[in-house]
Amino acid sequence: MEAIVKTIFPVAVISVGIFLAFQGVLMIVAYTVLAERKVLGWIQGRIGPNRVGWWGVLQPFADLFKFIFKEDIVPDKSTKFVYYLAPIVALTCALLPIVVYPFGPAITTIDWGFLPYNLGDNIRQLPMTIAQIDVGVLFVLGITSVGVYGIALAGWSSNNKYSLMGGLRSSAQLISYELAMGASVIGVVMLAGTLDLNGIIFAQINSPFGWFIIPQFIGFVVFLIAAFAETNRVPFDLPEAETELVAGFHTEYSALKFALFFMAEYVNMFTVSVMVTVLFLGGWYIPGLSYIFEVGSIPYALFSHIGFIGKICAFLFFYIWIRGTLPRFRFDQLMNFGWKFLLPLALANVIFTILIVYFLNR
Amino acid sequence: MEPSLATYLALSGILFTIGAVGVIFKRNALGMFMCIELMLNAVNLTFVAFSRYYADVTGQLFVFMVMSVAAAEAAVGLGIIIAFFRNRLSIDTDDASILKN
Amino acid sequence: MVTTALFFIFAGLAIACAISLVYHKNPLYSAISLVGVFIALSCIYVTLAAPFIAAVQILIYAGAIMVLVVFVIMLLNLDDDKPLNRLRYLYAVGAGLGLILLAQTFFVFYAVMRSPKQAVNTDETVGKTLNIGSAMYTEYLLPVEIVGILLLMAIIGGVILARRFEPTKLELVVNNELERRNEQEIEDEYRIRL
């Protein structure tokens, strides 16, 4: 009995954590879609959706029901197995990084000693991360780079030339910009001395520069531009350029399968915003908050959470703003920009950071 | 209880065998390339398993080296495959017979 | 116990994906199977307390090398693999090689099982990023430098191999030159006539 309870209890605790985190992220993502439509509407002098619920707040659920009840059309000549696999891969790879997000500082909880079988021994400090792993940055970069298979396979399996073009463009674009993205992260990792996301936040708390956006401004800009390309957003949305390729890689997808791609795109946006926030803007850390509340108390954690979500929302707004402002690149411009400008800039930043670290540690 | 070292070696050996047989059976340059990658991965598994069982970091470093070599191989190998395709409109290794006669 | 269960799940997945890699004629199916092998092996590395190698496995193999392969497959729009035509004896060679290697594998398995039990070293810090990094830049600095040079050579080789030497452009230049000369000659002729 004791052994069974001891095996199940941590699994249950982690399952509750996973459930809460995924629900929270998916709700934010659903409302990002609404916010995008509203903000784009305002930028273009329209009102945006305002019919479903007060001020359109129930619009995401209406969209969801529409996706569920639409007819699911499968092209006759498609490669069925890969066709079904592609949206699953896209959404899974988008959702997986959630498990390493540092949502907030650890909370010092009440004494759980009253639980049977000494279950509460190890949970005095409740971390706000589902899995505290040593290689968080690499994990997020790796999983998001696997996500490109979703798009490439969707383009290939639809047996449609526009889809194939979209898939090809997407894989070329992602390979090119991943390099710049990785090179821009190296600077932060060198300054922080760790690959752990929480460790990077603590390094920023203790750093003489404050947030890493100050010593790593070039890295920040490169990361942000590469992030736009990685998530296939305007001005780098070549894989789904509707004026050239109908709808790109998801031309042949309808109903829930299209909804999976759609969600994957917005979850990727969220992931990238989290990464920018954690790597360059101090994550959940708000300067001066530790003077008001005791570190580890619940209000401290709550306000840190709000700060974290606020920073992420600022980046999501920035995404939408750019979408309403900039036109699309041409494909050769995109490649030239990535290889001939962004990558050398990121490498120069790495050398610059090496010098900083060398003189700091001397 | 953890699986013993022999289990990891057996898995690695089976993967290596499949890869080696695949290199011979595949007629397509890309297929052969992928089978070689599979063999490299089987070797990596033994490195990591030994590194775990002797608590030595050397094995994991060699995995890193093998990965770099695999990346270099991918860059050059795919370049050769594309150049070959341009000339012969096929990547079947049977077609690479210009020097035969 | 949990480690063993996970190991057998992912080992089964890896072997199934590897067989599917060799079995499928379509190169794209082979590529997807190989990605499956990489992910399964990465999970096994996690159970072996090597998180850094696991993450790098996903990042380099699944995220970079195989994306390139899939890109090439889609770019060349390849057909299915044709069966062997003139090298039929290779089937026999392959089967023989496979049998020998399998026999060797089982011999190794048997020999290691027979040998005195090596206690598992429960030191979990070996695979941490810090240890790998410090070993990489102190003890193994020279190999790392050599690998760097190798990668540089690969970049240059890849660029040179994949570069398209455009004969059409050359012809255009030559043609322009010829045209200009012709015009010059015609003008000269006119002048002479005038």
Side-chain angles (χ1 to χ4, degrees):
Chain A
M1 183 64 199
E2 184 177 343
I4 296 171
V5 171
K6 273 197 165 167
T7 321
I8 289 175
F9 183 71
V11 177
V13 170
I14 289 177
S15 304
V16 170
I18 292 174
F19 179 77
L20 288 178
F22 275 62
Q23 285 303 314
V25 171
L26 285 178
M27 284 309 281
I28 292 175
V29 165
Y31 278 93
T32 312
V33 180
L34 177 65
E36 171 151 40
R37 295 176 66 181
K38 275 282 189 192
V39 173
L40 273 185
W42 294 333
I43 289 175
Q44 296 164 355
R46 297 184 282 115
I47 297 172
N50 64 349
R51 290 289 114 182
V52 193
W54 174 77
W55 207 68
V57 282
L58 294 178
Q59 186 69 38
F61 301 99
D63 285 344
L64 178 67
F65 282 118
K66 192 184 82 175
F67 279 132
I68 291 174
F69 290 119
K70 278 232 169 174
E71 187 188 352
D72 192 6
I73 300 164
V74 180
D76 206 28
K77 292 271 177 68
S78 63
T79 315
K80 294 289 183 307
F81 174 69
V82 185
Y83 182 81
Y84 283 98
L85 184 71
I88 299 173
V89 171
L91 188 64
T92 312
C93 295
L95 287 176
L96 258 181
I98 293 177
V99 296
V100 294
Y101 292 168
F103 284 103
I107 303 174
T108 314
T109 54
I110 52 164
D111 193 3
W112 295 93
F114 58 85
L115 287 177
Y117 310 129
N118 302 329
L119 287 175
D121 277 356
N122 299 321
I123 47 175
R124 283 308 303 278
Q125 287 278 326
L126 194 64
M128 285 286 124
T129 310
I130 296 170
Q132 180 104 33
I133 60 174
D134 191 36
V135 286
V137 176
L138 286 184
F139 179 82
V140 175
L141 285 181
I143 297 290
T144 46
S145 68
V146 174
V148 64
Y149 288 112
I151 295 171
L153 295 182
W156 183 82
S157 65
S158 303
N159 205 4
N160 173 330
K161 56 187 148 193
Y162 295 118
S163 300
L164 185 65
M165 287 291 291
L168 266 176
R169 282 181 173 191
S170 156
S171 37
Q173 174 179 332
L174 278 147
I175 294 173
S176 312
Y177 279 78
E178 214 165 64
L179 280 173
M181 198 178 204
S184 65
V185 171
I186 292 174
V188 171
V189 173
M190 272 195 292
L191 280 177
T194 173
L195 285 169
D196 180 9
L197 291 176
N198 260 318
I200 289 175
I201 293 173
F202 281 114
Q204 295 183 56
I205 295 174
N206 300 323
S207 149
F209 303 111
W211 292 349
F212 282 158
I213 188 175
I214 298 165
Q216 284 294 310
F217 189 74
I218 303 169
F220 171 73
V221 172
V222 171
F223 188 92
L224 206 58
I225 296 172
F228 275 91
E230 289 278 308
T231 49
N232 296 328
R233 293 282 301 180
V234 177
F236 300 109
D237 64 336
L238 275 298
E240 42 189 310
E242 69 272 8
T243 44
E244 305 160 33
L245 297 180
V246 190
F249 63 92
H250 56 63
T251 308
E252 300 287 359
Y253 282 86
S254 56
L256 258 183
K257 292 201 209 65
F258 171 71
L260 294 188
F261 277 120
F262 192 67
M263 266 167 70
E265 184 185 332
Y266 282 84
V267 178
N268 275 330
M269 261 168 74
F270 186 82
T271 300
V272 165
S273 304
V274 169
M275 286 301 280
V276 172
T277 309
V278 169
L279 294 178
F280 298 100
L281 288 180
W284 42 259
Y285 172 61
I286 301 173
L289 195 66
S290 54
Y291 297 112
I292 308 172
F293 301 109
E294 188 192 344
V295 174
S297 65
I298 287 174
Y300 179 76
L302 195 68
F303 277 97
S304 297
H305 265 308
I306 293 172
F308 186 57
I309 299 292
K311 287 173 191 172
I312 291 168
C313 288
F315 275 108
L316 291 174
F317 175 75
F318 183 66
Y319 264 92
I320 299 165
W321 189 14
I322 292 287
R323 180 173 175 184
T325 313
L326 287 183
R328 185 179 301 130
F329 273 70
R330 219 171 50 220
F331 198 70
D332 59 322
Q333 289 173 335
L334 173 104
M335 281 294 159
N336 282 341
F337 184 69
W339 285 101
K340 293 182 184 165
F341 178 72
L342 223 49
L343 186 60
L345 195 65
L347 292 178
N349 178 49
V350 169
I351 293 167
F352 169 69
T353 317
I354 289 173
L355 292 179
I356 291 184
V357 173
Y358 177 71
F359 285 113
L360 269 185
N361 294 342
R362 219 150 67 116
Chain B
M1 192 196 96
E2 290 210 6
S4 68
L5 181 59
T7 330
Y8 288 105
L9 295 186
L11 172 63
S12 161
I14 291 170
L15 288 181
F16 190 88
T17 310
I18 295 172
V21 172
V23 170
I24 291 177
F25 276 8
K26 288 260 172 191
R27 286 299 78 210
N28 166 330
L30 268 172
M32 289 173 139
F33 173 80
M34 289 190 272
C35 288
I36 291 171
E37 294 292 324
L38 180 64
M39 287 158 76
L40 287 176
N41 265 277
V43 176
N44 281 355
L45 180 62
T46 50
F47 275 132
V48 178
F50 276 117
S51 160
R52 165 78 171 149
Y53 279 82
Y54 291 98
D56 190 345
V57 79
T58 315
Q60 301 195 10
L61 264 168
F62 266 90
V63 172
F64 203 71
M65 309 277 169
V66 170
M67 281 179 186
S68 314
V69 173
E73 180 204 330
V76 177
L78 291 177
I80 292 175
I81 288 173
I82 289 179
F84 180 55
F85 186 83
R86 277 207 200 112
N87 289 326
R88 311 288 291 195
L89 288 182
S90 137
I91 56 165
D92 207 329
T93 41
D94 279 4
D95 289 340
S97 54
I98 277 185
L99 286 179
K100 206 169 182 183
N101 297 315
Chain C
M1 191 60 218
V2 179
T3 317
T4 314
L6 284 177
F7 171 76
F8 280 108
I9 291 170
F10 289 119
L13 188 66
I15 293 174
C17 285
I19 290 173
S20 143
L21 157 70
V22 178
Y23 171 77
H24 276 296
K25 296 286 178 209
N26 190 325
L28 198 86
Y29 280 172
S30 297
I32 297 171
S33 316
L34 190 54
V35 175
V37 175
F38 290 157
I39 291 172
L41 281 181
S42 163
C43 297
I44 289 176
Y45 294 160
V46 172
T47 65
L48 279 170
F52 182 77
I53 294 297
V56 169
Q57 163 99 1
I58 293 278
L59 193 64
I60 295 182
Y61 272 123
I65 296 180
M66 287 317 287
V67 173
L68 266 179
V69 170
V70 168
F71 180 76
V72 169
I73 292 172
M74 283 165 63
L75 187 75
L76 304 184
N77 210 357
L78 296 172
D79 298 332
D80 284 3
D81 203 1
K82 275 168 280 175
L84 290 172
N85 41 15
R86 48 172 184 268
L87 301 173
R88 281 189 180 282
Y89 68 91
L90 277 183
Y91 280 127
V93 174
L97 183 69
L99 280 179
I100 292 170
L101 282 173
L102 265 188
Q104 218 169 21
T105 305
F106 284 117
F107 174 72
V108 169
F109 182 72
Y110 177 73
V112 178
M113 282 300 256
R114 278 289 300 278
S115 67
K117 213 49 168 184
Q118 174 82 31
V120 185
N121 203 318
T122 46
D123 185 11
E124 299 240 325
T125 58
V126 169
K128 295 273 183 205
T129 320
L130 190 67
N131 285 329
I132 293 182
S134 57
M136 195 184 281
Y137 287 101
T138 52
E139 209 177 332
Y140 295 95
L141 186 60
L142 188 65
V144 170
E145 301 270 344
I146 293 172
V147 162
I149 291 175
L150 177 77
L151 282 175
L152 182 65
M153 280 157 60
I155 293 171
I156 296 169
V159 168
I160 288 175
L161 277 173
R163 202 163 124 201
R164 188 177 277 140
F165 296 104
E166 284 181 7
T168 50
K169 223 173 212 173
L170 208 70
E171 274 170 24
L172 267 178
V173 174
V174 173
N175 284 344
N176 278 345
E177 197 74 11
L178 284 176
E179 268 175 31
R180 220 185 299 151
R181 269 190 207 159
N182 283 341
E183 278 170 17
Q184 198 80 34
E185 280 171 17
I186 291 166
E187 271 181 32
D188 289 352
E189 272 182 33
Y190 270 119
R191 262 185 218 143
I192 293 166
R193 279 184 196 172
L194 285 170

